[in-house]
Amino acid sequence: SFGASIASLFNASPLGLMPGFESVSAADTSAVATHGDTSTLGVIRRDDNKKFTARGLTRITRHPLILPVVPWGIATAYLAGNRLCDYIMFAGISLYAIAGCAAQDLRVSKEEGSVGTVFRPNESVEEGQRLSQFFQQTSFLPFGAVLDGRQDIGDIFREVPWLGFVVGTATGVLAEE
């Protein structure tokens, strides 16, 4: 896991729902100051169009930050003592993670208007349509979109920061010695 952590530094925003940022010229900066655009800070501008592109971990699952809690919870229950109370606690956390992801998907499918805590596609019809398209391209279950042909496993392998993963793993092994 240390290798994956270091690799993430080389590919800092692999998640499709994370916004991207781009440079802003001096002319754009002065226009922003007069119009009160809150998506620009100094010389960088937030580009929310990038969050609707399935890339990185969202090619595997559209919930790459929450669903890994499931195998972690089950493994931790086993490693923590393999007692009933361990399974109740850590499997409960795993079920909570699954329920949270399912609830988020349900809000999108019902077009309820919010995803997570800050993203509200109802404010823009275009954003709502792009979010629906993103959900059609990705899957809830890990590798589900790959298995049914919506995503290509080759794209996933091309987007993995292999050098960062190898350097991170080697650094972790050396740090443990």
Short mmCIF file of all heavy atoms in Angstrom, two decimals, residues 4-73:
data_model
loop_
_atom_site.label_atom_id
_atom_site.label_comp_id
_atom_site.label_asym_id
_atom_site.label_seq_id
_atom_site.Cartn_x
_atom_site.Cartn_y
_atom_site.Cartn_z
N ALA A 4 1.37 2.20 -3.56
CA ALA A 4 0.20 2.86 -4.14
C ALA A 4 0.11 4.30 -3.67
O ALA A 4 -0.26 5.19 -4.44
CB ALA A 4 -1.07 2.09 -3.78
N SER A 5 0.46 4.55 -2.42
CA SER A 5 0.43 5.92 -1.90
C SER A 5 1.43 6.80 -2.61
O SER A 5 1.12 7.93 -3.00
CB SER A 5 0.73 5.92 -0.40
OG SER A 5 -0.24 5.19 0.30
N ILE A 6 2.64 6.30 -2.80
CA ILE A 6 3.66 7.07 -3.50
C ILE A 6 3.26 7.26 -4.96
O ILE A 6 3.40 8.34 -5.53
CB ILE A 6 5.04 6.39 -3.39
CG1 ILE A 6 5.50 6.35 -1.93
CG2 ILE A 6 6.07 7.10 -4.26
CD1 ILE A 6 5.67 7.71 -1.27
N ALA A 7 2.71 6.21 -5.58
CA ALA A 7 2.28 6.32 -6.98
C ALA A 7 1.21 7.39 -7.14
O ALA A 7 1.17 8.09 -8.16
CB ALA A 7 1.77 4.96 -7.48
N SER A 8 0.37 7.55 -6.16
CA SER A 8 -0.69 8.55 -6.26
C SER A 8 -0.13 9.96 -6.29
O SER A 8 -0.76 10.88 -6.79
CB SER A 8 -1.70 8.40 -5.12
OG SER A 8 -1.13 8.82 -3.90
N LEU A 9 1.08 10.14 -5.77
CA LEU A 9 1.70 11.46 -5.85
C LEU A 9 2.08 11.81 -7.28
O LEU A 9 2.11 12.98 -7.66
CB LEU A 9 2.95 11.51 -4.95
CG LEU A 9 2.70 11.34 -3.46
CD1 LEU A 9 4.03 11.28 -2.71
CD2 LEU A 9 1.82 12.45 -2.93
N PHE A 10 2.39 10.80 -8.09
CA PHE A 10 2.76 11.02 -9.48
C PHE A 10 1.52 11.23 -10.35
O PHE A 10 1.60 11.76 -11.45
CB PHE A 10 3.58 9.84 -10.03
CG PHE A 10 4.94 9.76 -9.42
CD1 PHE A 10 5.15 9.03 -8.27
CD2 PHE A 10 6.00 10.44 -9.98
CE1 PHE A 10 6.41 8.95 -7.69
CE2 PHE A 10 7.26 10.38 -9.41
CZ PHE A 10 7.47 9.63 -8.26
N ASN A 11 0.39 10.77 -9.91
CA ASN A 11 -0.87 10.91 -10.64
C ASN A 11 -1.88 11.41 -9.61
O ASN A 11 -2.75 10.68 -9.16
CB ASN A 11 -1.29 9.55 -11.23
CG ASN A 11 -2.49 9.67 -12.13
OD1 ASN A 11 -2.91 10.76 -12.47
ND2 ASN A 11 -3.04 8.54 -12.51
N ALA A 12 -1.75 12.68 -9.24
CA ALA A 12 -2.42 13.19 -8.06
C ALA A 12 -3.93 13.21 -8.13
O ALA A 12 -4.59 13.21 -7.11
CB ALA A 12 -1.92 14.60 -7.77
N SER A 13 -4.52 13.22 -9.29
CA SER A 13 -5.97 13.27 -9.38
C SER A 13 -6.49 12.23 -10.36
O SER A 13 -6.92 12.56 -11.45
CB SER A 13 -6.42 14.67 -9.80
OG SER A 13 -7.82 14.74 -9.79
N PRO A 14 -6.44 10.94 -9.98
CA PRO A 14 -6.88 9.91 -10.92
C PRO A 14 -8.38 9.72 -10.94
O PRO A 14 -8.89 8.93 -11.69
CB PRO A 14 -6.20 8.66 -10.36
CG PRO A 14 -6.18 8.90 -8.89
CD PRO A 14 -5.94 10.39 -8.74
N LEU A 15 -9.12 10.46 -10.16
CA LEU A 15 -10.55 10.23 -10.03
C LEU A 15 -11.33 11.08 -11.01
O LEU A 15 -11.11 12.27 -11.15
CB LEU A 15 -11.00 10.55 -8.60
CG LEU A 15 -10.16 9.88 -7.53
CD1 LEU A 15 -10.63 10.31 -6.17
CD2 LEU A 15 -10.25 8.38 -7.66
N GLY A 16 -12.32 10.48 -11.66
CA GLY A 16 -13.10 11.21 -12.64
C GLY A 16 -13.93 12.32 -12.06
O GLY A 16 -14.24 13.28 -12.74
N LEU A 17 -14.35 12.22 -10.80
CA LEU A 17 -15.18 13.26 -10.23
C LEU A 17 -14.38 14.38 -9.58
O LEU A 17 -14.93 15.31 -9.02
CB LEU A 17 -16.17 12.68 -9.22
CG LEU A 17 -17.26 11.83 -9.83
CD1 LEU A 17 -18.17 11.25 -8.75
CD2 LEU A 17 -18.09 12.62 -10.81
N MET A 18 -13.06 14.28 -9.66
CA MET A 18 -12.22 15.35 -9.14
C MET A 18 -12.04 16.38 -10.24
O MET A 18 -11.75 16.03 -11.37
CB MET A 18 -10.85 14.80 -8.72
CG MET A 18 -10.94 13.79 -7.59
SD MET A 18 -11.60 14.47 -6.09
CE MET A 18 -10.27 15.51 -5.58
N PRO A 19 -12.19 17.64 -9.92
CA PRO A 19 -12.00 18.67 -10.94
C PRO A 19 -10.55 18.79 -11.35
O PRO A 19 -9.65 18.46 -10.59
CB PRO A 19 -12.49 19.95 -10.26
CG PRO A 19 -12.29 19.69 -8.81
CD PRO A 19 -12.52 18.21 -8.63
N GLY A 20 -10.33 19.28 -12.55
CA GLY A 20 -8.98 19.56 -13.01
C GLY A 20 -8.74 21.05 -12.94
O GLY A 20 -9.67 21.84 -12.75
N PHE A 21 -7.51 21.45 -13.08
CA PHE A 21 -7.17 22.86 -13.02
C PHE A 21 -6.33 23.22 -14.23
O PHE A 21 -5.61 22.40 -14.77
CB PHE A 21 -6.41 23.17 -11.72
CG PHE A 21 -7.25 22.96 -10.50
CD1 PHE A 21 -7.30 21.74 -9.87
CD2 PHE A 21 -8.02 24.00 -10.00
CE1 PHE A 21 -8.09 21.54 -8.75
CE2 PHE A 21 -8.82 23.81 -8.88
CZ PHE A 21 -8.86 22.59 -8.27
N GLU A 22 -6.45 24.48 -14.68
CA GLU A 22 -5.69 24.96 -15.82
C GLU A 22 -5.20 26.37 -15.53
O GLU A 22 -5.74 27.07 -14.67
CB GLU A 22 -6.55 24.93 -17.08
CG GLU A 22 -7.80 25.76 -16.98
CD GLU A 22 -8.73 25.58 -18.17
OE1 GLU A 22 -8.56 24.64 -18.95
OE2 GLU A 22 -9.64 26.40 -18.29
N SER A 23 -4.17 26.79 -16.29
CA SER A 23 -3.62 28.13 -16.12
C SER A 23 -4.57 29.16 -16.69
O SER A 23 -5.31 28.90 -17.63
CB SER A 23 -2.28 28.24 -16.83
OG SER A 23 -1.36 27.35 -16.29
N VAL A 24 -4.52 30.36 -16.13
CA VAL A 24 -5.34 31.47 -16.58
C VAL A 24 -4.41 32.61 -16.96
O VAL A 24 -3.46 32.91 -16.24
CB VAL A 24 -6.30 31.94 -15.46
CG1 VAL A 24 -7.14 33.12 -15.92
CG2 VAL A 24 -7.19 30.80 -15.02
N SER A 25 -4.68 33.26 -18.09
CA SER A 25 -3.86 34.39 -18.51
C SER A 25 -4.19 35.62 -17.66
O SER A 25 -5.21 35.67 -16.99
CB SER A 25 -4.10 34.70 -19.98
OG SER A 25 -5.40 35.23 -20.15
N ALA A 26 -3.34 36.63 -17.74
CA ALA A 26 -3.55 37.87 -16.97
C ALA A 26 -4.86 38.54 -17.39
O ALA A 26 -5.58 39.10 -16.57
CB ALA A 26 -2.37 38.81 -17.16
N ALA A 27 -5.19 38.51 -18.68
CA ALA A 27 -6.44 39.12 -19.16
C ALA A 27 -7.65 38.41 -18.57
O ALA A 27 -8.62 39.06 -18.16
CB ALA A 27 -6.49 39.09 -20.69
N ASP A 28 -7.58 37.07 -18.51
CA ASP A 28 -8.69 36.32 -17.93
C ASP A 28 -8.82 36.61 -16.44
O ASP A 28 -9.91 36.68 -15.90
CB ASP A 28 -8.49 34.81 -18.13
CG ASP A 28 -8.69 34.38 -19.57
OD1 ASP A 28 -9.31 35.15 -20.33
OD2 ASP A 28 -8.24 33.28 -19.92
N THR A 29 -7.69 36.80 -15.75
CA THR A 29 -7.71 37.08 -14.32
C THR A 29 -8.41 38.40 -14.03
O THR A 29 -9.20 38.50 -13.11
CB THR A 29 -6.27 37.11 -13.76
OG1 THR A 29 -5.64 35.88 -14.06
CG2 THR A 29 -6.28 37.30 -12.26
N SER A 30 -8.16 39.43 -14.85
CA SER A 30 -8.82 40.72 -14.62
C SER A 30 -10.30 40.64 -14.94
O SER A 30 -11.13 41.25 -14.27
CB SER A 30 -8.15 41.83 -15.44
OG SER A 30 -8.29 41.55 -16.82
N ALA A 31 -10.68 39.85 -15.95
CA ALA A 31 -12.10 39.66 -16.27
C ALA A 31 -12.81 38.94 -15.13
O ALA A 31 -13.96 39.26 -14.80
CB ALA A 31 -12.25 38.88 -17.57
N VAL A 32 -12.13 38.00 -14.52
CA VAL A 32 -12.70 37.26 -13.39
C VAL A 32 -12.97 38.20 -12.23
O VAL A 32 -14.00 38.14 -11.57
CB VAL A 32 -11.75 36.12 -12.98
CG1 VAL A 32 -12.12 35.58 -11.61
CG2 VAL A 32 -11.78 35.02 -14.01
N ALA A 33 -12.03 39.09 -11.96
CA ALA A 33 -12.18 40.02 -10.84
C ALA A 33 -13.41 40.90 -11.00
O ALA A 33 -14.08 41.22 -10.03
CB ALA A 33 -10.92 40.88 -10.71
N THR A 34 -13.73 41.29 -12.24
CA THR A 34 -14.89 42.16 -12.44
C THR A 34 -16.20 41.39 -12.45
O THR A 34 -17.24 41.93 -12.13
CB THR A 34 -14.75 42.94 -13.77
OG1 THR A 34 -14.64 42.01 -14.85
CG2 THR A 34 -13.54 43.86 -13.73
N HIS A 35 -16.18 40.10 -12.81
CA HIS A 35 -17.42 39.32 -12.89
C HIS A 35 -17.67 38.44 -11.68
O HIS A 35 -18.70 37.81 -11.56
CB HIS A 35 -17.44 38.47 -14.15
CG HIS A 35 -17.45 39.26 -15.43
ND1 HIS A 35 -17.67 40.61 -15.47
CD2 HIS A 35 -17.25 38.88 -16.70
CE1 HIS A 35 -17.62 41.03 -16.71
NE2 HIS A 35 -17.35 40.01 -17.49
N GLY A 36 -16.68 38.32 -10.79
CA GLY A 36 -16.86 37.54 -9.56
C GLY A 36 -16.89 36.05 -9.77
O GLY A 36 -17.61 35.33 -9.09
N ASP A 37 -16.11 35.51 -10.70
CA ASP A 37 -16.05 34.08 -10.96
C ASP A 37 -15.34 33.39 -9.80
O ASP A 37 -14.18 33.65 -9.54
CB ASP A 37 -15.31 33.83 -12.27
CG ASP A 37 -15.22 32.36 -12.64
OD1 ASP A 37 -15.78 31.53 -11.90
OD2 ASP A 37 -14.62 32.05 -13.67
N THR A 38 -16.02 32.50 -9.09
CA THR A 38 -15.44 31.84 -7.92
C THR A 38 -14.63 30.60 -8.29
O THR A 38 -14.01 30.00 -7.42
CB THR A 38 -16.54 31.42 -6.93
OG1 THR A 38 -17.44 30.53 -7.60
CG2 THR A 38 -17.27 32.62 -6.40
N SER A 39 -14.61 30.20 -9.57
CA SER A 39 -13.85 29.02 -9.96
C SER A 39 -12.40 29.36 -10.27
O SER A 39 -11.62 28.48 -10.60
CB SER A 39 -14.50 28.34 -11.16
OG SER A 39 -14.42 29.18 -12.30
N THR A 40 -12.02 30.64 -10.19
CA THR A 40 -10.66 31.06 -10.48
C THR A 40 -10.01 31.61 -9.23
O THR A 40 -10.60 32.41 -8.50
CB THR A 40 -10.65 32.12 -11.60
OG1 THR A 40 -11.28 31.57 -12.75
CG2 THR A 40 -9.25 32.55 -11.95
N LEU A 41 -8.78 31.18 -9.00
CA LEU A 41 -8.01 31.66 -7.86
C LEU A 41 -6.64 32.05 -8.37
O LEU A 41 -5.84 31.19 -8.74
CB LEU A 41 -7.90 30.58 -6.79
CG LEU A 41 -7.07 30.94 -5.56
CD1 LEU A 41 -7.71 32.11 -4.81
CD2 LEU A 41 -6.94 29.75 -4.65
N GLY A 42 -6.38 33.35 -8.44
CA GLY A 42 -5.09 33.83 -8.95
C GLY A 42 -4.90 33.46 -10.39
O GLY A 42 -5.66 33.89 -11.25
N VAL A 43 -3.91 32.60 -10.66
CA VAL A 43 -3.60 32.24 -12.03
C VAL A 43 -4.07 30.83 -12.41
O VAL A 43 -3.68 30.30 -13.44
CB VAL A 43 -2.09 32.36 -12.31
CG1 VAL A 43 -1.64 33.80 -12.19
CG2 VAL A 43 -1.29 31.47 -11.37
N ILE A 44 -4.91 30.20 -11.56
CA ILE A 44 -5.45 28.89 -11.91
C ILE A 44 -6.97 28.93 -11.91
O ILE A 44 -7.59 29.68 -11.18
CB ILE A 44 -4.95 27.77 -10.96
CG1 ILE A 44 -5.35 28.05 -9.52
CG2 ILE A 44 -3.46 27.56 -11.10
CD1 ILE A 44 -5.09 26.90 -8.58
N ARG A 45 -7.55 28.13 -12.78
CA ARG A 45 -9.00 28.04 -12.89
C ARG A 45 -9.41 26.57 -12.78
O ARG A 45 -8.79 25.69 -13.38
CB ARG A 45 -9.48 28.59 -14.23
CG ARG A 45 -11.00 28.42 -14.41
CD ARG A 45 -11.51 28.82 -15.78
NE ARG A 45 -11.15 30.19 -16.06
CZ ARG A 45 -10.73 30.62 -17.26
NH1 ARG A 45 -10.60 29.79 -18.25
NH2 ARG A 45 -10.43 31.88 -17.45
N ARG A 46 -10.45 26.33 -12.04
CA ARG A 46 -11.01 24.98 -11.89
C ARG A 46 -11.79 24.65 -13.15
O ARG A 46 -12.60 25.44 -13.63
CB ARG A 46 -11.92 24.96 -10.68
CG ARG A 46 -12.56 23.65 -10.42
CD ARG A 46 -13.35 23.74 -9.14
NE ARG A 46 -14.36 22.72 -9.11
CZ ARG A 46 -14.99 22.36 -8.03
NH1 ARG A 46 -14.75 22.95 -6.89
NH2 ARG A 46 -15.89 21.41 -8.07
N ASP A 47 -11.54 23.45 -13.72
CA ASP A 47 -12.23 23.01 -14.92
C ASP A 47 -13.08 21.79 -14.57
O ASP A 47 -12.60 20.66 -14.56
CB ASP A 47 -11.22 22.67 -16.01
CG ASP A 47 -11.88 22.24 -17.31
OD1 ASP A 47 -13.14 22.28 -17.40
OD2 ASP A 47 -11.16 21.84 -18.24
N ASP A 48 -14.37 22.03 -14.29
CA ASP A 48 -15.25 20.94 -13.88
C ASP A 48 -15.62 19.99 -15.01
O ASP A 48 -16.19 18.93 -14.76
CB ASP A 48 -16.52 21.51 -13.25
CG ASP A 48 -16.28 21.99 -11.83
OD1 ASP A 48 -15.28 21.59 -11.23
OD2 ASP A 48 -17.10 22.78 -11.33
N ASN A 49 -15.32 20.31 -16.24
CA ASN A 49 -15.61 19.40 -17.35
C ASN A 49 -14.81 18.11 -17.23
O ASN A 49 -15.26 17.06 -17.68
CB ASN A 49 -15.32 20.07 -18.69
CG ASN A 49 -16.29 21.19 -18.97
OD1 ASN A 49 -17.48 21.07 -18.68
ND2 ASN A 49 -15.79 22.28 -19.53
N LYS A 50 -13.64 18.18 -16.62
CA LYS A 50 -12.79 17.00 -16.52
C LYS A 50 -13.33 15.95 -15.56
O LYS A 50 -12.99 14.79 -15.66
CB LYS A 50 -11.38 17.43 -16.09
CG LYS A 50 -10.71 18.27 -17.16
CD LYS A 50 -9.32 18.67 -16.78
CE LYS A 50 -8.72 19.51 -17.90
NZ LYS A 50 -7.36 19.88 -17.64
N LYS A 51 -14.19 16.34 -14.62
CA LYS A 51 -14.68 15.37 -13.65
C LYS A 51 -15.68 14.38 -14.26
O LYS A 51 -16.02 13.40 -13.64
CB LYS A 51 -15.29 16.07 -12.44
CG LYS A 51 -16.56 16.84 -12.74
CD LYS A 51 -17.00 17.60 -11.51
CE LYS A 51 -18.07 18.60 -11.86
NZ LYS A 51 -18.32 19.50 -10.80
N PHE A 52 -16.15 14.66 -15.47
CA PHE A 52 -17.11 13.78 -16.12
C PHE A 52 -16.43 12.78 -17.05
O PHE A 52 -17.10 12.05 -17.77
CB PHE A 52 -18.13 14.59 -16.91
CG PHE A 52 -18.97 15.48 -16.04
CD1 PHE A 52 -18.82 16.85 -16.07
CD2 PHE A 52 -19.91 14.94 -15.18
CE1 PHE A 52 -19.59 17.67 -15.27
CE2 PHE A 52 -20.68 15.75 -14.37
CZ PHE A 52 -20.52 17.12 -14.42
N THR A 53 -15.11 12.73 -17.04
CA THR A 53 -14.38 11.81 -17.89
C THR A 53 -13.94 10.61 -17.06
O THR A 53 -13.25 10.78 -16.06
CB THR A 53 -13.13 12.51 -18.48
OG1 THR A 53 -13.56 13.67 -19.19
CG2 THR A 53 -12.37 11.59 -19.42
N ALA A 54 -14.35 9.43 -17.49
CA ALA A 54 -13.92 8.21 -16.79
C ALA A 54 -12.44 8.00 -17.08
O ALA A 54 -12.05 7.80 -18.23
CB ALA A 54 -14.74 7.02 -17.25
N ARG A 55 -11.63 8.08 -16.04
CA ARG A 55 -10.20 7.86 -16.19
C ARG A 55 -9.66 7.39 -14.84
O ARG A 55 -10.28 7.58 -13.81
CB ARG A 55 -9.48 9.11 -16.68
CG ARG A 55 -9.50 10.26 -15.70
CD ARG A 55 -8.76 11.47 -16.29
NE ARG A 55 -8.50 12.46 -15.28
CZ ARG A 55 -9.33 13.45 -14.96
NH1 ARG A 55 -10.46 13.58 -15.59
NH2 ARG A 55 -9.01 14.30 -14.03
N GLY A 56 -8.50 6.78 -14.90
CA GLY A 56 -7.88 6.32 -13.66
C GLY A 56 -8.75 5.31 -12.94
O GLY A 56 -9.30 4.38 -13.54
N LEU A 57 -8.91 5.51 -11.65
CA LEU A 57 -9.65 4.57 -10.83
C LEU A 57 -11.13 4.51 -11.17
O LEU A 57 -11.78 3.50 -10.90
CB LEU A 57 -9.48 4.93 -9.35
CG LEU A 57 -8.06 4.81 -8.80
CD1 LEU A 57 -7.99 5.31 -7.38
CD2 LEU A 57 -7.58 3.38 -8.89
N THR A 58 -11.70 5.57 -11.74
CA THR A 58 -13.13 5.53 -12.05
C THR A 58 -13.42 4.63 -13.25
O THR A 58 -14.57 4.32 -13.49
CB THR A 58 -13.72 6.93 -12.30
OG1 THR A 58 -12.98 7.58 -13.33
CG2 THR A 58 -13.70 7.75 -11.02
N ARG A 59 -12.40 4.21 -13.97
CA ARG A 59 -12.63 3.17 -14.99
C ARG A 59 -12.92 1.83 -14.31
O ARG A 59 -13.59 0.98 -14.86
CB ARG A 59 -11.42 3.03 -15.90
CG ARG A 59 -11.21 4.18 -16.84
CD ARG A 59 -10.07 3.84 -17.80
NE ARG A 59 -9.66 4.96 -18.58
CZ ARG A 59 -10.24 5.34 -19.72
NH1 ARG A 59 -11.27 4.69 -20.17
NH2 ARG A 59 -9.77 6.37 -20.38
N ILE A 60 -12.40 1.65 -13.10
CA ILE A 60 -12.60 0.41 -12.35
C ILE A 60 -13.92 0.45 -11.60
O ILE A 60 -14.71 -0.49 -11.65
CB ILE A 60 -11.41 0.17 -11.39
CG1 ILE A 60 -10.12 0.02 -12.19
CG2 ILE A 60 -11.66 -1.04 -10.51
CD1 ILE A 60 -8.86 0.02 -11.37
N THR A 61 -14.17 1.53 -10.87
CA THR A 61 -15.43 1.73 -10.17
C THR A 61 -15.67 3.22 -10.02
O THR A 61 -14.71 3.99 -9.88
CB THR A 61 -15.45 1.07 -8.77
OG1 THR A 61 -16.69 1.40 -8.12
CG2 THR A 61 -14.30 1.52 -7.91
N ARG A 62 -16.91 3.65 -10.04
CA ARG A 62 -17.18 5.08 -9.88
C ARG A 62 -17.11 5.52 -8.42
O ARG A 62 -17.30 6.68 -8.10
CB ARG A 62 -18.51 5.46 -10.51
CG ARG A 62 -19.73 4.93 -9.84
CD ARG A 62 -21.01 5.47 -10.50
NE ARG A 62 -22.06 4.51 -10.49
CZ ARG A 62 -22.41 3.73 -11.51
NH1 ARG A 62 -21.78 3.83 -12.65
NH2 ARG A 62 -23.38 2.86 -11.40
N HIS A 63 -16.82 4.59 -7.52
CA HIS A 63 -16.67 4.90 -6.09
C HIS A 63 -15.29 4.45 -5.60
O HIS A 63 -15.18 3.63 -4.68
CB HIS A 63 -17.77 4.22 -5.28
CG HIS A 63 -19.14 4.63 -5.68
ND1 HIS A 63 -19.64 5.88 -5.39
CD2 HIS A 63 -20.10 3.97 -6.38
CE1 HIS A 63 -20.87 5.97 -5.88
NE2 HIS A 63 -21.17 4.83 -6.48
N PRO A 64 -14.21 4.99 -6.16
CA PRO A 64 -12.87 4.48 -5.83
C PRO A 64 -12.36 4.86 -4.44
O PRO A 64 -11.38 4.29 -4.00
CB PRO A 64 -11.98 5.10 -6.92
CG PRO A 64 -12.68 6.36 -7.29
CD PRO A 64 -14.16 6.06 -7.18
N LEU A 65 -12.99 5.77 -3.77
CA LEU A 65 -12.53 6.14 -2.44
C LEU A 65 -13.27 5.40 -1.33
O LEU A 65 -12.75 5.22 -0.24
CB LEU A 65 -12.68 7.65 -2.21
CG LEU A 65 -11.80 8.52 -3.08
CD1 LEU A 65 -12.10 9.99 -2.84
CD2 LEU A 65 -10.33 8.23 -2.83
N ILE A 66 -14.49 4.96 -1.60
CA ILE A 66 -15.32 4.34 -0.56
C ILE A 66 -15.34 2.81 -0.65
O ILE A 66 -15.23 2.13 0.36
CB ILE A 66 -16.76 4.89 -0.62
CG1 ILE A 66 -16.77 6.40 -0.56
CG2 ILE A 66 -17.62 4.29 0.48
CD1 ILE A 66 -16.32 7.00 0.73
N LEU A 67 -15.47 2.26 -1.85
CA LEU A 67 -15.57 0.81 -1.97
C LEU A 67 -14.35 0.04 -1.47
O LEU A 67 -14.50 -1.09 -0.98
CB LEU A 67 -15.91 0.41 -3.40
CG LEU A 67 -17.37 0.57 -3.78
CD1 LEU A 67 -17.62 0.07 -5.20
CD2 LEU A 67 -18.31 -0.14 -2.82
N PRO A 68 -13.13 0.58 -1.52
CA PRO A 68 -12.01 -0.16 -0.92
C PRO A 68 -12.14 -0.39 0.58
O PRO A 68 -11.43 -1.22 1.14
CB PRO A 68 -10.79 0.71 -1.25
CG PRO A 68 -11.19 1.44 -2.48
CD PRO A 68 -12.66 1.72 -2.33
N VAL A 69 -13.06 0.29 1.22
CA VAL A 69 -13.31 0.07 2.65
C VAL A 69 -13.85 -1.36 2.88
O VAL A 69 -13.62 -1.94 3.93
CB VAL A 69 -14.29 1.13 3.20
CG1 VAL A 69 -14.78 0.78 4.60
CG2 VAL A 69 -13.62 2.50 3.19
N VAL A 70 -14.52 -1.91 1.88
CA VAL A 70 -15.13 -3.24 2.04
C VAL A 70 -14.07 -4.33 2.27
O VAL A 70 -14.10 -5.01 3.31
CB VAL A 70 -16.06 -3.57 0.85
CG1 VAL A 70 -16.60 -4.98 0.96
CG2 VAL A 70 -17.19 -2.54 0.77
N PRO A 71 -13.11 -4.54 1.36
CA PRO A 71 -12.12 -5.58 1.65
C PRO A 71 -11.24 -5.23 2.86
O PRO A 71 -10.81 -6.12 3.59
CB PRO A 71 -11.28 -5.67 0.37
CG PRO A 71 -11.56 -4.42 -0.38
CD PRO A 71 -12.92 -3.95 0.03
N TRP A 72 -11.00 -3.93 3.07
CA TRP A 72 -10.23 -3.51 4.25
C TRP A 72 -10.97 -3.94 5.52
O TRP A 72 -10.36 -4.47 6.45
CB TRP A 72 -10.02 -1.99 4.24
CG TRP A 72 -9.47 -1.49 5.53
CD1 TRP A 72 -8.16 -1.45 5.91
CD2 TRP A 72 -10.22 -0.98 6.65
NE1 TRP A 72 -8.06 -0.95 7.18
CE2 TRP A 72 -9.31 -0.64 7.66
CE3 TRP A 72 -11.58 -0.78 6.88
CZ2 TRP A 72 -9.70 -0.12 8.88
CZ3 TRP A 72 -11.97 -0.25 8.09
CH2 TRP A 72 -11.04 0.07 9.07
N GLY A 73 -12.27 -3.71 5.59
CA GLY A 73 -13.04 -4.05 6.77
C GLY A 73 -13.04 -5.54 7.05
O GLY A 73 -12.86 -5.98 8.19
#
